[in-house]
Amino acid sequence: MVIVYLLLGAAVLLGCGSSLQRRHPRALFALVLASLVAPLILDHSAHNLVQIGAVLVLLGVEALVPHADYAAVSDENLKSAAFVSFKRLASVVVTIFVIPRILSWATPMWSMSAHGVHPLVQGIVGFLVLDFYLWAYHWTQHRLDFMWHFHKLHHATAELTVFASGRSHLVDATLKLTGVVLISYALGLSPEVFTFGFALPILLLDSFNHSNIDFPRRRWRWLARVFTSPNCHAVHHTPDRDRMNYGVALMIWDRIFGTFELPEARPTVFGLHDRAWGRAGVLWQHLEPVRAMLPSPRPRVSSLPAK
């Protein structure tokens, strides 16, 4: 399974960095869809089925009732789709190297599972705690330079579509997933509670919130005060309002900490002020944050005496 993910991810990455994207964008888009559908043959987990199913359904919704007139085979959309492969790779890394090690630890005596807490209560508590963690993690991504270096590429796209939800730096995605797993362990969530009480709802909402859909409009605006929605999250992707609406599933954290904004209409301009950075290739955007974190070389000082 891991080899399949790696090969498909490498194929999409190479396709986005070659003449295939320029000359045959539809062929590359078909390759992207193949990278989403093919793993279903090997991985029948509920997590994988829901994630891929949600993306395919939302792609159809975007095609039927899009807000902005984006082309499915545009450079921006194909670039975002390539990052989906990177995010899947992060999931594989955590699944193989992190989760087994954590599962080998003894169950904490303070955890809910150690005290026989009902699965429904586990699900509610786990969802609230983990959703707050995601809000706080997202807040640090915009407030700390170290975190912003890696999160920047998520905001680089000028086209907000369902594929943008998977536009994450491999380092960033791995750190965030590792935190989710550690908190789940500390809470003592069972695998079933974690999957159905947290992972699946979060995957559905995250994909939905990045989609190219004008929702909610006037009649359903009250929903945006409780749950994150495409229009509220679209505000977060505008160049000037990216420090508002950090919520992943619930908006209560933004309302509590004063970072909530309910727009009158869906924004239309997305991306970074630095448009050149956003137009750079997939591989460059992945390597540039690492280069930016390295110390700058000191200028060489001549030892010759001044004349």
Side-chain angles (χ1 to χ4, degrees), residues 134-156 172 210 233 235-247 254 259 271-272:
L134 292 179
W135 180 91
Y137 186 90
H138 196 182
W139 185 90
T140 63
Q141 287 176 310
H142 286 263
R143 304 287 174 151
L144 302 181
D145 289 342
F146 167 77
M147 302 293 286
W148 174 246
H149 281 305
F150 295 103
H151 186 57
K152 186 177 182 179
L153 62 80
H154 179 70
H155 284 262
D172 187 22
H210 286 86
H233 196 69
V235 170
H236 180 73
H237 276 266
T238 60
D240 296 311
R241 308 301 292 163
D242 64 301
R243 293 198 173 192
M244 305 298 291
N245 298 350
Y246 294 107
D254 284 298
T259 54
L272 302 170

Side-chain angles (χ1 to χ4, degrees), residues 22-59:
R22 298 187 299 273
R23 297 181 181 178
H24 305 287
R26 295 185 184 278
L28 180 56
F29 189 70
L31 180 61
V32 169
L33 292 180
S35 71
L36 291 174
V37 177
L40 289 175
I41 301 173
L42 300 175
D43 186 358
H44 299 286
S45 64
H47 182 282
N48 195 45
L49 290 170
V50 172
Q51 181 181 22
I52 296 173
V55 170
L56 295 177
V57 169
L58 288 170
L59 282 174

Side-chain angles (χ1 to χ4, degrees), residues 12-146:
V12 173
L13 175 62
L14 292 174
C16 283
S18 69
S19 60
L20 181 63
Q21 181 171 349
R22 298 187 299 273
R23 297 181 181 178
H24 305 287
R26 295 185 184 278
L28 180 56
F29 189 70
L31 180 61
V32 169
L33 292 180
S35 71
L36 291 174
V37 177
L40 289 175
I41 301 173
L42 300 175
D43 186 358
H44 299 286
S45 64
H47 182 282
N48 195 45
L49 290 170
V50 172
Q51 181 181 22
I52 296 173
V55 170
L56 295 177
V57 169
L58 288 170
L59 282 174
V61 174
E62 284 184 335
L64 292 173
V65 288
H67 177 253
D69 188 19
Y70 300 144
V73 294
S74 69
D75 288 347
E76 280 293 328
N77 204 37
L78 290 173
K79 191 183 298 182
S80 292
F83 280 109
V84 174
S85 300
F86 278 102
K87 191 169 185 179
R88 183 179 294 278
L89 179 58
S91 300
V92 172
V93 169
V94 174
T95 301
I96 293 177
F97 298 105
V98 178
I99 292 180
R101 182 176 295 274
I102 293 176
L103 290 178
S104 67
W105 298 347
T107 303
M109 59 182 301
W110 64 81
S111 67
M112 290 187 289
S113 58
H115 290 81
V117 176
H118 192 279
L120 179 60
V121 178
Q122 286 189 40
I124 295 173
V125 173
F127 184 85
L128 291 173
V129 172
L130 288 170
D131 188 57
F132 175 71
Y133 159 74
L134 292 179
W135 180 91
Y137 186 90
H138 196 182
W139 185 90
T140 63
Q141 287 176 310
H142 286 263
R143 304 287 174 151
L144 302 181
D145 289 342
F146 167 77

Side-chain angles (χ1 to χ4, degrees), residues 188-202:
L189 301 181
S190 67
E192 294 77 17
V193 169
F194 174 79
T195 298
F196 296 103
F198 170 75
L200 299 189
I202 287 292

